[in-house]
Amino acid sequence: MDWSIAEVARISGVTARTLRHYDEIGLLPPARIGANGHRYYEDRQLLLLQQILVLRALGVGLPEIGRILSEQVAEVDALRGHHRRLLAERDRLDALAGTVFRTIVELEQSGKDGRPMTINRPENLFEGVQPSQYEENMRDFPELAEEVGRRAATMSQADAEAGHRERTAQMIRLAELMAAGHRADAEPVQAEIGAQYGALTELRAVSAEEYRAIGRSCVDNEAWRAAYEAITPGLAAYQRDAIDAYATSRLS
């Protein structure tokens, strides 16, 4: 039995355009091309597509997926490997969900008590979080991403984790300012944003417009927004507005 590209798109949720792209790069050629020029897929291709989608869900890039598939590993063995990865990812997400929940409880309690959030065990904030995800989320700013990658290549694991802790601490400090009722353009908030800008400019010069674009990405970039909203709802937009105010008053 075979399926047309439209049928495969329907049952897999992958667009026909993506399937054509997978064919063009040699990742997933169809079983045959009909007289009408349409692509048709058989069981073997559906199994390969499943592997591709599982690996994509795990964050593996297309070139690496091509390498994995070209190793000619038996399907059952390949699926066992994917299953192990999925279980590890499930455990990581479970840990991350617990981390976010603990932070929510702490922030809510500190808001009720009218006191700043106290972090007794800072390592709890980072359980289940992978620092390398920050580099991936810089893809909209290729020059900065290149510099971040260059720095990361020379950093020890301890240094990378310390940098990640500081970035999360910045988000928490901003959440505390927001919870205290400070406007995005208030001086304490702008001082925090200025420190963030200073850290960026240690990598390379950042213009006012580029900094505004980075601020907008806090909301527009799904992964960035999720990270901010995991700390407290509304924090992504607060960061964006604070950056816009800083760029307007300090950089323009």
mmCIF file with all atom_site columns, all heavy atoms in Angstrom, residues 141 192-198 200 206-217 239-240 242-244 246-247 251:
data_model
loop_
_atom_site.group_PDB
_atom_site.id
_atom_site.type_symbol
_atom_site.label_atom_id
_atom_site.label_alt_id
_atom_site.label_comp_id
_atom_site.label_asym_id
_atom_site.label_entity_id
_atom_site.label_seq_id
_atom_site.pdbx_PDB_ins_code
_atom_site.Cartn_x
_atom_site.Cartn_y
_atom_site.Cartn_z
_atom_site.occupancy
_atom_site.B_iso_or_equiv
_atom_site.pdbx_formal_charge
_atom_site.auth_seq_id
_atom_site.auth_comp_id
_atom_site.auth_asym_id
_atom_site.auth_atom_id
_atom_site.pdbx_PDB_model_num
ATOM 1   N N   . PHE A 1 141 ? 19.437 36.359 15.760 1.00 0.00 ? 141 PHE A N   1
ATOM 2   C CA  . PHE A 1 141 ? 20.493 37.368 15.816 1.00 0.00 ? 141 PHE A CA  1
ATOM 3   C C   . PHE A 1 141 ? 21.815 36.671 15.508 1.00 0.00 ? 141 PHE A C   1
ATOM 4   O O   . PHE A 1 141 ? 22.609 36.390 16.409 1.00 0.00 ? 141 PHE A O   1
ATOM 5   C CB  . PHE A 1 141 ? 20.509 38.046 17.186 1.00 0.00 ? 141 PHE A CB  1
ATOM 6   C CG  . PHE A 1 141 ? 19.158 38.571 17.588 1.00 0.00 ? 141 PHE A CG  1
ATOM 7   C CD1 . PHE A 1 141 ? 18.311 37.818 18.392 1.00 0.00 ? 141 PHE A CD1 1
ATOM 8   C CD2 . PHE A 1 141 ? 18.713 39.794 17.122 1.00 0.00 ? 141 PHE A CD2 1
ATOM 9   C CE1 . PHE A 1 141 ? 17.055 38.284 18.732 1.00 0.00 ? 141 PHE A CE1 1
ATOM 10  C CE2 . PHE A 1 141 ? 17.453 40.267 17.462 1.00 0.00 ? 141 PHE A CE2 1
ATOM 11  C CZ  . PHE A 1 141 ? 16.622 39.524 18.260 1.00 0.00 ? 141 PHE A CZ  1
ATOM 12  N N   . GLU A 1 192 ? 18.569 47.528 35.927 1.00 0.00 ? 192 GLU A N   1
ATOM 13  C CA  . GLU A 1 192 ? 18.689 46.092 35.654 1.00 0.00 ? 192 GLU A CA  1
ATOM 14  C C   . GLU A 1 192 ? 18.851 45.844 34.156 1.00 0.00 ? 192 GLU A C   1
ATOM 15  O O   . GLU A 1 192 ? 19.688 45.037 33.732 1.00 0.00 ? 192 GLU A O   1
ATOM 16  C CB  . GLU A 1 192 ? 17.448 45.364 36.180 1.00 0.00 ? 192 GLU A CB  1
ATOM 17  C CG  . GLU A 1 192 ? 17.530 43.860 36.132 1.00 0.00 ? 192 GLU A CG  1
ATOM 18  C CD  . GLU A 1 192 ? 18.612 43.295 37.035 1.00 0.00 ? 192 GLU A CD  1
ATOM 19  O OE1 . GLU A 1 192 ? 18.724 43.750 38.192 1.00 0.00 ? 192 GLU A OE1 1
ATOM 20  O OE2 . GLU A 1 192 ? 19.350 42.409 36.560 1.00 0.00 ? 192 GLU A OE2 1
ATOM 21  N N   . ILE A 1 193 ? 18.067 46.557 33.356 1.00 0.00 ? 193 ILE A N   1
ATOM 22  C CA  . ILE A 1 193 ? 18.162 46.403 31.903 1.00 0.00 ? 193 ILE A CA  1
ATOM 23  C C   . ILE A 1 193 ? 19.515 46.905 31.408 1.00 0.00 ? 193 ILE A C   1
ATOM 24  O O   . ILE A 1 193 ? 20.120 46.334 30.485 1.00 0.00 ? 193 ILE A O   1
ATOM 25  C CB  . ILE A 1 193 ? 17.018 47.167 31.210 1.00 0.00 ? 193 ILE A CB  1
ATOM 26  C CG1 . ILE A 1 193 ? 15.658 46.577 31.602 1.00 0.00 ? 193 ILE A CG1 1
ATOM 27  C CG2 . ILE A 1 193 ? 17.187 47.144 29.694 1.00 0.00 ? 193 ILE A CG2 1
ATOM 28  C CD1 . ILE A 1 193 ? 15.481 45.121 31.239 1.00 0.00 ? 193 ILE A CD1 1
ATOM 29  N N   . GLY A 1 194 ? 20.019 47.974 32.029 1.00 0.00 ? 194 GLY A N   1
ATOM 30  C CA  . GLY A 1 194 ? 21.327 48.488 31.653 1.00 0.00 ? 194 GLY A CA  1
ATOM 31  C C   . GLY A 1 194 ? 22.430 47.464 31.911 1.00 0.00 ? 194 GLY A C   1
ATOM 32  O O   . GLY A 1 194 ? 23.372 47.342 31.121 1.00 0.00 ? 194 GLY A O   1
ATOM 33  N N   . ALA A 1 195 ? 22.320 46.729 32.997 1.00 0.00 ? 195 ALA A N   1
ATOM 34  C CA  . ALA A 1 195 ? 23.309 45.688 33.289 1.00 0.00 ? 195 ALA A CA  1
ATOM 35  C C   . ALA A 1 195 ? 23.244 44.581 32.238 1.00 0.00 ? 195 ALA A C   1
ATOM 36  O O   . ALA A 1 195 ? 24.276 44.051 31.801 1.00 0.00 ? 195 ALA A O   1
ATOM 37  C CB  . ALA A 1 195 ? 23.063 45.117 34.685 1.00 0.00 ? 195 ALA A CB  1
ATOM 38  N N   . GLN A 1 196 ? 22.037 44.232 31.807 1.00 0.00 ? 196 GLN A N   1
ATOM 39  C CA  . GLN A 1 196 ? 21.882 43.228 30.758 1.00 0.00 ? 196 GLN A CA  1
ATOM 40  C C   . GLN A 1 196 ? 22.484 43.723 29.447 1.00 0.00 ? 196 GLN A C   1
ATOM 41  O O   . GLN A 1 196 ? 23.157 42.972 28.732 1.00 0.00 ? 196 GLN A O   1
ATOM 42  C CB  . GLN A 1 196 ? 20.398 42.891 30.558 1.00 0.00 ? 196 GLN A CB  1
ATOM 43  C CG  . GLN A 1 196 ? 19.749 42.221 31.752 1.00 0.00 ? 196 GLN A CG  1
ATOM 44  C CD  . GLN A 1 196 ? 18.285 41.915 31.519 1.00 0.00 ? 196 GLN A CD  1
ATOM 45  O OE1 . GLN A 1 196 ? 17.829 41.847 30.372 1.00 0.00 ? 196 GLN A OE1 1
ATOM 46  N NE2 . GLN A 1 196 ? 17.521 41.745 32.575 1.00 0.00 ? 196 GLN A NE2 1
ATOM 47  N N   . TYR A 1 197 ? 22.244 44.997 29.135 1.00 0.00 ? 197 TYR A N   1
ATOM 48  C CA  . TYR A 1 197 ? 22.799 45.573 27.912 1.00 0.00 ? 197 TYR A CA  1
ATOM 49  C C   . TYR A 1 197 ? 24.324 45.567 27.967 1.00 0.00 ? 197 TYR A C   1
ATOM 50  O O   . TYR A 1 197 ? 24.995 45.265 26.981 1.00 0.00 ? 197 TYR A O   1
ATOM 51  C CB  . TYR A 1 197 ? 22.277 46.992 27.721 1.00 0.00 ? 197 TYR A CB  1
ATOM 52  C CG  . TYR A 1 197 ? 22.806 47.668 26.479 1.00 0.00 ? 197 TYR A CG  1
ATOM 53  C CD1 . TYR A 1 197 ? 22.349 47.301 25.213 1.00 0.00 ? 197 TYR A CD1 1
ATOM 54  C CD2 . TYR A 1 197 ? 23.777 48.667 26.575 1.00 0.00 ? 197 TYR A CD2 1
ATOM 55  C CE1 . TYR A 1 197 ? 22.839 47.915 24.076 1.00 0.00 ? 197 TYR A CE1 1
ATOM 56  C CE2 . TYR A 1 197 ? 24.274 49.284 25.435 1.00 0.00 ? 197 TYR A CE2 1
ATOM 57  C CZ  . TYR A 1 197 ? 23.802 48.904 24.192 1.00 0.00 ? 197 TYR A CZ  1
ATOM 58  O OH  . TYR A 1 197 ? 24.292 49.518 23.059 1.00 0.00 ? 197 TYR A OH  1
ATOM 59  N N   . GLY A 1 198 ? 24.869 45.887 29.136 1.00 0.00 ? 198 GLY A N   1
ATOM 60  C CA  . GLY A 1 198 ? 26.314 45.878 29.297 1.00 0.00 ? 198 GLY A CA  1
ATOM 61  C C   . GLY A 1 198 ? 26.906 44.509 29.041 1.00 0.00 ? 198 GLY A C   1
ATOM 62  O O   . GLY A 1 198 ? 27.967 44.374 28.421 1.00 0.00 ? 198 GLY A O   1
ATOM 63  N N   . LEU A 1 200 ? 25.648 42.238 27.066 1.00 0.00 ? 200 LEU A N   1
ATOM 64  C CA  . LEU A 1 200 ? 25.585 41.995 25.628 1.00 0.00 ? 200 LEU A CA  1
ATOM 65  C C   . LEU A 1 200 ? 26.717 42.688 24.891 1.00 0.00 ? 200 LEU A C   1
ATOM 66  O O   . LEU A 1 200 ? 27.338 42.125 23.989 1.00 0.00 ? 200 LEU A O   1
ATOM 67  C CB  . LEU A 1 200 ? 24.246 42.493 25.068 1.00 0.00 ? 200 LEU A CB  1
ATOM 68  C CG  . LEU A 1 200 ? 23.044 41.556 25.122 1.00 0.00 ? 200 LEU A CG  1
ATOM 69  C CD1 . LEU A 1 200 ? 21.819 42.248 24.549 1.00 0.00 ? 200 LEU A CD1 1
ATOM 70  C CD2 . LEU A 1 200 ? 23.321 40.276 24.353 1.00 0.00 ? 200 LEU A CD2 1
ATOM 71  N N   . VAL A 1 206 ? 25.898 46.600 20.176 1.00 0.00 ? 206 VAL A N   1
ATOM 72  C CA  . VAL A 1 206 ? 24.476 46.356 19.935 1.00 0.00 ? 206 VAL A CA  1
ATOM 73  C C   . VAL A 1 206 ? 23.783 47.698 19.802 1.00 0.00 ? 206 VAL A C   1
ATOM 74  O O   . VAL A 1 206 ? 23.805 48.509 20.737 1.00 0.00 ? 206 VAL A O   1
ATOM 75  C CB  . VAL A 1 206 ? 23.846 45.540 21.085 1.00 0.00 ? 206 VAL A CB  1
ATOM 76  C CG1 . VAL A 1 206 ? 22.350 45.350 20.849 1.00 0.00 ? 206 VAL A CG1 1
ATOM 77  C CG2 . VAL A 1 206 ? 24.533 44.187 21.226 1.00 0.00 ? 206 VAL A CG2 1
ATOM 78  N N   . SER A 1 207 ? 23.173 47.956 18.647 1.00 0.00 ? 207 SER A N   1
ATOM 79  C CA  . SER A 1 207 ? 22.502 49.229 18.413 1.00 0.00 ? 207 SER A CA  1
ATOM 80  C C   . SER A 1 207 ? 21.181 49.290 19.171 1.00 0.00 ? 207 SER A C   1
ATOM 81  O O   . SER A 1 207 ? 20.670 48.274 19.649 1.00 0.00 ? 207 SER A O   1
ATOM 82  C CB  . SER A 1 207 ? 22.239 49.416 16.919 1.00 0.00 ? 207 SER A CB  1
ATOM 83  O OG  . SER A 1 207 ? 21.260 48.482 16.476 1.00 0.00 ? 207 SER A OG  1
ATOM 84  N N   . ALA A 1 208 ? 20.617 50.496 19.227 1.00 0.00 ? 208 ALA A N   1
ATOM 85  C CA  . ALA A 1 208 ? 19.327 50.671 19.898 1.00 0.00 ? 208 ALA A CA  1
ATOM 86  C C   . ALA A 1 208 ? 18.257 49.829 19.222 1.00 0.00 ? 208 ALA A C   1
ATOM 87  O O   . ALA A 1 208 ? 17.448 49.170 19.893 1.00 0.00 ? 208 ALA A O   1
ATOM 88  C CB  . ALA A 1 208 ? 18.927 52.149 19.891 1.00 0.00 ? 208 ALA A CB  1
ATOM 89  N N   . GLU A 1 209 ? 18.245 49.824 17.878 1.00 0.00 ? 209 GLU A N   1
ATOM 90  C CA  . GLU A 1 209 ? 17.211 49.085 17.170 1.00 0.00 ? 209 GLU A CA  1
ATOM 91  C C   . GLU A 1 209 ? 17.379 47.579 17.359 1.00 0.00 ? 209 GLU A C   1
ATOM 92  O O   . GLU A 1 209 ? 16.408 46.838 17.500 1.00 0.00 ? 209 GLU A O   1
ATOM 93  C CB  . GLU A 1 209 ? 17.218 49.443 15.683 1.00 0.00 ? 209 GLU A CB  1
ATOM 94  C CG  . GLU A 1 209 ? 16.041 48.872 14.906 1.00 0.00 ? 209 GLU A CG  1
ATOM 95  C CD  . GLU A 1 209 ? 14.693 49.137 15.588 1.00 0.00 ? 209 GLU A CD  1
ATOM 96  O OE1 . GLU A 1 209 ? 14.449 50.287 16.027 1.00 0.00 ? 209 GLU A OE1 1
ATOM 97  O OE2 . GLU A 1 209 ? 13.887 48.189 15.695 1.00 0.00 ? 209 GLU A OE2 1
ATOM 98  N N   . GLU A 1 210 ? 18.633 47.113 17.371 1.00 0.00 ? 210 GLU A N   1
ATOM 99  C CA  . GLU A 1 210 ? 18.859 45.683 17.587 1.00 0.00 ? 210 GLU A CA  1
ATOM 100 C C   . GLU A 1 210 ? 18.445 45.285 19.002 1.00 0.00 ? 210 GLU A C   1
ATOM 101 O O   . GLU A 1 210 ? 17.872 44.210 19.215 1.00 0.00 ? 210 GLU A O   1
ATOM 102 C CB  . GLU A 1 210 ? 20.327 45.332 17.349 1.00 0.00 ? 210 GLU A CB  1
ATOM 103 C CG  . GLU A 1 210 ? 20.587 43.826 17.397 1.00 0.00 ? 210 GLU A CG  1
ATOM 104 C CD  . GLU A 1 210 ? 22.012 43.465 17.030 1.00 0.00 ? 210 GLU A CD  1
ATOM 105 O OE1 . GLU A 1 210 ? 22.888 44.346 17.100 1.00 0.00 ? 210 GLU A OE1 1
ATOM 106 O OE2 . GLU A 1 210 ? 22.244 42.298 16.684 1.00 0.00 ? 210 GLU A OE2 1
ATOM 107 N N   . TYR A 1 211 ? 18.703 46.175 19.965 1.00 0.00 ? 211 TYR A N   1
ATOM 108 C CA  . TYR A 1 211 ? 18.309 45.865 21.343 1.00 0.00 ? 211 TYR A CA  1
ATOM 109 C C   . TYR A 1 211 ? 16.791 45.816 21.455 1.00 0.00 ? 211 TYR A C   1
ATOM 110 O O   . TYR A 1 211 ? 16.240 44.957 22.148 1.00 0.00 ? 211 TYR A O   1
ATOM 111 C CB  . TYR A 1 211 ? 18.898 46.895 22.301 1.00 0.00 ? 211 TYR A CB  1
ATOM 112 C CG  . TYR A 1 211 ? 18.959 46.426 23.742 1.00 0.00 ? 211 TYR A CG  1
ATOM 113 C CD1 . TYR A 1 211 ? 19.189 45.089 24.065 1.00 0.00 ? 211 TYR A CD1 1
ATOM 114 C CD2 . TYR A 1 211 ? 18.784 47.325 24.796 1.00 0.00 ? 211 TYR A CD2 1
ATOM 115 C CE1 . TYR A 1 211 ? 19.244 44.663 25.374 1.00 0.00 ? 211 TYR A CE1 1
ATOM 116 C CE2 . TYR A 1 211 ? 18.843 46.906 26.111 1.00 0.00 ? 211 TYR A CE2 1
ATOM 117 C CZ  . TYR A 1 211 ? 19.064 45.575 26.394 1.00 0.00 ? 211 TYR A CZ  1
ATOM 118 O OH  . TYR A 1 211 ? 19.115 45.151 27.700 1.00 0.00 ? 211 TYR A OH  1
ATOM 119 N N   . ARG A 1 212 ? 16.111 46.723 20.748 1.00 0.00 ? 212 ARG A N   1
ATOM 120 C CA  . ARG A 1 212 ? 14.644 46.669 20.726 1.00 0.00 ? 212 ARG A CA  1
ATOM 121 C C   . ARG A 1 212 ? 14.172 45.348 20.121 1.00 0.00 ? 212 ARG A C   1
ATOM 122 O O   . ARG A 1 212 ? 13.203 44.748 20.592 1.00 0.00 ? 212 ARG A O   1
ATOM 123 C CB  . ARG A 1 212 ? 14.081 47.838 19.919 1.00 0.00 ? 212 ARG A CB  1
ATOM 124 C CG  . ARG A 1 212 ? 14.136 49.191 20.603 1.00 0.00 ? 212 ARG A CG  1
ATOM 125 C CD  . ARG A 1 212 ? 13.277 50.210 19.858 1.00 0.00 ? 212 ARG A CD  1
ATOM 126 N NE  . ARG A 1 212 ? 13.403 51.531 20.446 1.00 0.00 ? 212 ARG A NE  1
ATOM 127 C CZ  . ARG A 1 212 ? 14.273 52.446 20.029 1.00 0.00 ? 212 ARG A CZ  1
ATOM 128 N NH1 . ARG A 1 212 ? 15.080 52.178 19.012 1.00 0.00 ? 212 ARG A NH1 1
ATOM 129 N NH2 . ARG A 1 212 ? 14.328 53.619 20.621 1.00 0.00 ? 212 ARG A NH2 1
ATOM 130 N N   . ALA A 1 213 ? 14.848 44.900 19.052 1.00 0.00 ? 213 ALA A N   1
ATOM 131 C CA  . ALA A 1 213 ? 14.463 43.632 18.411 1.00 0.00 ? 213 ALA A CA  1
ATOM 132 C C   . ALA A 1 213 ? 14.654 42.461 19.368 1.00 0.00 ? 213 ALA A C   1
ATOM 133 O O   . ALA A 1 213 ? 13.829 41.538 19.413 1.00 0.00 ? 213 ALA A O   1
ATOM 134 C CB  . ALA A 1 213 ? 15.285 43.419 17.137 1.00 0.00 ? 213 ALA A CB  1
ATOM 135 N N   . ILE A 1 214 ? 15.729 42.509 20.151 1.00 0.00 ? 214 ILE A N   1
ATOM 136 C CA  . ILE A 1 214 ? 15.941 41.472 21.160 1.00 0.00 ? 214 ILE A CA  1
ATOM 137 C C   . ILE A 1 214 ? 14.814 41.508 22.187 1.00 0.00 ? 214 ILE A C   1
ATOM 138 O O   . ILE A 1 214 ? 14.292 40.469 22.611 1.00 0.00 ? 214 ILE A O   1
ATOM 139 C CB  . ILE A 1 214 ? 17.313 41.646 21.830 1.00 0.00 ? 214 ILE A CB  1
ATOM 140 C CG1 . ILE A 1 214 ? 18.429 41.316 20.831 1.00 0.00 ? 214 ILE A CG1 1
ATOM 141 C CG2 . ILE A 1 214 ? 17.437 40.766 23.079 1.00 0.00 ? 214 ILE A CG2 1
ATOM 142 C CD1 . ILE A 1 214 ? 19.819 41.635 21.325 1.00 0.00 ? 214 ILE A CD1 1
ATOM 143 N N   . GLY A 1 215 ? 14.408 42.726 22.573 1.00 0.00 ? 215 GLY A N   1
ATOM 144 C CA  . GLY A 1 215 ? 13.295 42.859 23.516 1.00 0.00 ? 215 GLY A CA  1
ATOM 145 C C   . GLY A 1 215 ? 12.009 42.281 22.957 1.00 0.00 ? 215 GLY A C   1
ATOM 146 O O   . GLY A 1 215 ? 11.277 41.574 23.656 1.00 0.00 ? 215 GLY A O   1
ATOM 147 N N   . ARG A 1 216 ? 11.742 42.561 21.692 1.00 0.00 ? 216 ARG A N   1
ATOM 148 C CA  . ARG A 1 216 ? 10.524 42.013 21.072 1.00 0.00 ? 216 ARG A CA  1
ATOM 149 C C   . ARG A 1 216 ? 10.561 40.493 21.019 1.00 0.00 ? 216 ARG A C   1
ATOM 150 O O   . ARG A 1 216 ? 9.534  39.825 21.144 1.00 0.00 ? 216 ARG A O   1
ATOM 151 C CB  . ARG A 1 216 ? 10.339 42.598 19.663 1.00 0.00 ? 216 ARG A CB  1
ATOM 152 C CG  . ARG A 1 216 ? 9.982  44.076 19.645 1.00 0.00 ? 216 ARG A CG  1
ATOM 153 C CD  . ARG A 1 216 ? 9.525  44.518 18.266 1.00 0.00 ? 216 ARG A CD  1
ATOM 154 N NE  . ARG A 1 216 ? 10.587 44.430 17.273 1.00 0.00 ? 216 ARG A NE  1
ATOM 155 C CZ  . ARG A 1 216 ? 11.441 45.409 16.996 1.00 0.00 ? 216 ARG A CZ  1
ATOM 156 N NH1 . ARG A 1 216 ? 11.381 46.561 17.652 1.00 0.00 ? 216 ARG A NH1 1
ATOM 157 N NH2 . ARG A 1 216 ? 12.362 45.253 16.055 1.00 0.00 ? 216 ARG A NH2 1
ATOM 158 N N   . SER A 1 217 ? 11.765 39.942 20.853 1.00 0.00 ? 217 SER A N   1
ATOM 159 C CA  . SER A 1 217 ? 11.892 38.483 20.796 1.00 0.00 ? 217 SER A CA  1
ATOM 160 C C   . SER A 1 217 ? 11.535 37.825 22.128 1.00 0.00 ? 217 SER A C   1
ATOM 161 O O   . SER A 1 217 ? 11.197 36.645 22.157 1.00 0.00 ? 217 SER A O   1
ATOM 162 C CB  . SER A 1 217 ? 13.314 38.088 20.392 1.00 0.00 ? 217 SER A CB  1
ATOM 163 O OG  . SER A 1 217 ? 13.531 38.342 19.020 1.00 0.00 ? 217 SER A OG  1
ATOM 164 N N   . GLN A 1 239 ? 9.732  42.663 30.247 1.00 0.00 ? 239 GLN A N   1
ATOM 165 C CA  . GLN A 1 239 ? 11.118 42.758 29.783 1.00 0.00 ? 239 GLN A CA  1
ATOM 166 C C   . GLN A 1 239 ? 11.172 43.514 28.453 1.00 0.00 ? 239 GLN A C   1
ATOM 167 O O   . GLN A 1 239 ? 12.031 44.377 28.255 1.00 0.00 ? 239 GLN A O   1
ATOM 168 C CB  . GLN A 1 239 ? 11.711 41.360 29.617 1.00 0.00 ? 239 GLN A CB  1
ATOM 169 C CG  . GLN A 1 239 ? 13.054 41.293 28.905 1.00 0.00 ? 239 GLN A CG  1
ATOM 170 C CD  . GLN A 1 239 ? 14.244 41.446 29.830 1.00 0.00 ? 239 GLN A CD  1
ATOM 171 O OE1 . GLN A 1 239 ? 14.167 41.087 30.994 1.00 0.00 ? 239 GLN A OE1 1
ATOM 172 N NE2 . GLN A 1 239 ? 15.336 41.983 29.310 1.00 0.00 ? 239 GLN A NE2 1
ATOM 173 N N   . ARG A 1 240 ? 10.276 43.178 27.540 1.00 0.00 ? 240 ARG A N   1
ATOM 174 C CA  . ARG A 1 240 ? 10.241 43.863 26.234 1.00 0.00 ? 240 ARG A CA  1
ATOM 175 C C   . ARG A 1 240 ? 10.041 45.362 26.411 1.00 0.00 ? 240 ARG A C   1
ATOM 176 O O   . ARG A 1 240 ? 10.761 46.179 25.821 1.00 0.00 ? 240 ARG A O   1
ATOM 177 C CB  . ARG A 1 240 ? 9.109  43.297 25.385 1.00 0.00 ? 240 ARG A CB  1
ATOM 178 C CG  . ARG A 1 240 ? 8.917  43.986 24.029 1.00 0.00 ? 240 ARG A CG  1
ATOM 179 C CD  . ARG A 1 240 ? 7.523  43.729 23.502 1.00 0.00 ? 240 ARG A CD  1
ATOM 180 N NE  . ARG A 1 240 ? 6.502  44.240 24.407 1.00 0.00 ? 240 ARG A NE  1
ATOM 181 C CZ  . ARG A 1 240 ? 5.229  43.858 24.393 1.00 0.00 ? 240 ARG A CZ  1
ATOM 182 N NH1 . ARG A 1 240 ? 4.822  42.953 23.530 1.00 0.00 ? 240 ARG A NH1 1
ATOM 183 N NH2 . ARG A 1 240 ? 4.358  44.374 25.257 1.00 0.00 ? 240 ARG A NH2 1
ATOM 184 N N   . ALA A 1 242 ? 10.591 47.183 29.049 1.00 0.00 ? 242 ALA A N   1
ATOM 185 C CA  . ALA A 1 242 ? 11.714 47.786 29.754 1.00 0.00 ? 242 ALA A CA  1
ATOM 186 C C   . ALA A 1 242 ? 12.886 48.018 28.808 1.00 0.00 ? 242 ALA A C   1
ATOM 187 O O   . ALA A 1 242 ? 13.563 49.057 28.866 1.00 0.00 ? 242 ALA A O   1
ATOM 188 C CB  . ALA A 1 242 ? 12.145 46.896 30.924 1.00 0.00 ? 242 ALA A CB  1
ATOM 189 N N   . ILE A 1 243 ? 13.127 47.069 27.922 1.00 0.00 ? 243 ILE A N   1
ATOM 190 C CA  . ILE A 1 243 ? 14.194 47.234 26.919 1.00 0.00 ? 243 ILE A CA  1
ATOM 191 C C   . ILE A 1 243 ? 13.862 48.376 25.972 1.00 0.00 ? 243 ILE A C   1
ATOM 192 O O   . ILE A 1 243 ? 14.733 49.192 25.630 1.00 0.00 ? 243 ILE A O   1
ATOM 193 C CB  . ILE A 1 243 ? 14.419 45.918 26.157 1.00 0.00 ? 243 ILE A CB  1
ATOM 194 C CG1 . ILE A 1 243 ? 15.127 44.898 27.060 1.00 0.00 ? 243 ILE A CG1 1
ATOM 195 C CG2 . ILE A 1 243 ? 15.224 46.155 24.887 1.00 0.00 ? 243 ILE A CG2 1
ATOM 196 C CD1 . ILE A 1 243 ? 15.339 43.538 26.417 1.00 0.00 ? 243 ILE A CD1 1
ATOM 197 N N   . ASP A 1 244 ? 12.604 48.466 25.543 1.00 0.00 ? 244 ASP A N   1
ATOM 198 C CA  . ASP A 1 244 ? 12.195 49.551 24.642 1.00 0.00 ? 244 ASP A CA  1
ATOM 199 C C   . ASP A 1 244 ? 12.423 50.903 25.308 1.00 0.00 ? 244 ASP A C   1
ATOM 200 O O   . ASP A 1 244 ? 12.929 51.842 24.673 1.00 0.00 ? 244 ASP A O   1
ATOM 201 C CB  . ASP A 1 244 ? 10.732 49.374 24.246 1.00 0.00 ? 244 ASP A CB  1
ATOM 202 C CG  . ASP A 1 244 ? 10.289 50.410 23.232 1.00 0.00 ? 244 ASP A CG  1
ATOM 203 O OD1 . ASP A 1 244 ? 10.767 50.356 22.073 1.00 0.00 ? 244 ASP A OD1 1
ATOM 204 O OD2 . ASP A 1 244 ? 9.493  51.291 23.586 1.00 0.00 ? 244 ASP A OD2 1
ATOM 205 N N   . TYR A 1 246 ? 14.528 51.573 27.681 1.00 0.00 ? 246 TYR A N   1
ATOM 206 C CA  . TYR A 1 246 ? 15.987 51.802 27.829 1.00 0.00 ? 246 TYR A CA  1
ATOM 207 C C   . TYR A 1 246 ? 16.591 52.245 26.507 1.00 0.00 ? 246 TYR A C   1
ATOM 208 O O   . TYR A 1 246 ? 17.386 53.196 26.466 1.00 0.00 ? 246 TYR A O   1
ATOM 209 C CB  . TYR A 1 246 ? 16.652 50.508 28.303 1.00 0.00 ? 246 TYR A CB  1
ATOM 210 C CG  . TYR A 1 246 ? 18.127 50.665 28.567 1.00 0.00 ? 246 TYR A CG  1
ATOM 211 C CD1 . TYR A 1 246 ? 18.591 51.060 29.816 1.00 0.00 ? 246 TYR A CD1 1
ATOM 212 C CD2 . TYR A 1 246 ? 19.079 50.412 27.573 1.00 0.00 ? 246 TYR A CD2 1
ATOM 213 C CE1 . TYR A 1 246 ? 19.952 51.209 30.073 1.00 0.00 ? 246 TYR A CE1 1
ATOM 214 C CE2 . TYR A 1 246 ? 20.431 50.563 27.810 1.00 0.00 ? 246 TYR A CE2 1
ATOM 215 C CZ  . TYR A 1 246 ? 20.863 50.960 29.066 1.00 0.00 ? 246 TYR A CZ  1
ATOM 216 O OH  . TYR A 1 246 ? 22.206 51.117 29.301 1.00 0.00 ? 246 TYR A OH  1
ATOM 217 N N   . ALA A 1 247 ? 16.204 51.579 25.417 1.00 0.00 ? 247 ALA A N   1
ATOM 218 C CA  . ALA A 1 247 ? 16.741 51.938 24.100 1.00 0.00 ? 247 ALA A CA  1
ATOM 219 C C   . ALA A 1 247 ? 16.349 53.356 23.718 1.00 0.00 ? 247 ALA A C   1
ATOM 220 O O   . ALA A 1 247 ? 17.143 54.092 23.117 1.00 0.00 ? 247 ALA A O   1
ATOM 221 C CB  . ALA A 1 247 ? 16.245 50.949 23.046 1.00 0.00 ? 247 ALA A CB  1
ATOM 222 N N   . LEU A 1 251 ? 19.857 54.967 24.576 1.00 0.00 ? 251 LEU A N   1
ATOM 223 C CA  . LEU A 1 251 ? 20.633 54.591 23.385 1.00 0.00 ? 251 LEU A CA  1
ATOM 224 C C   . LEU A 1 251 ? 20.311 55.409 22.146 1.00 0.00 ? 251 LEU A C   1
ATOM 225 O O   . LEU A 1 251 ? 21.093 55.403 21.199 1.00 0.00 ? 251 LEU A O   1
ATOM 226 C CB  . LEU A 1 251 ? 20.423 53.097 23.069 1.00 0.00 ? 251 LEU A CB  1
ATOM 227 C CG  . LEU A 1 251 ? 20.748 52.108 24.188 1.00 0.00 ? 251 LEU A CG  1
ATOM 228 C CD1 . LEU A 1 251 ? 20.475 50.682 23.732 1.00 0.00 ? 251 LEU A CD1 1
ATOM 229 C CD2 . LEU A 1 251 ? 22.202 52.259 24.641 1.00 0.00 ? 251 LEU A CD2 1
#
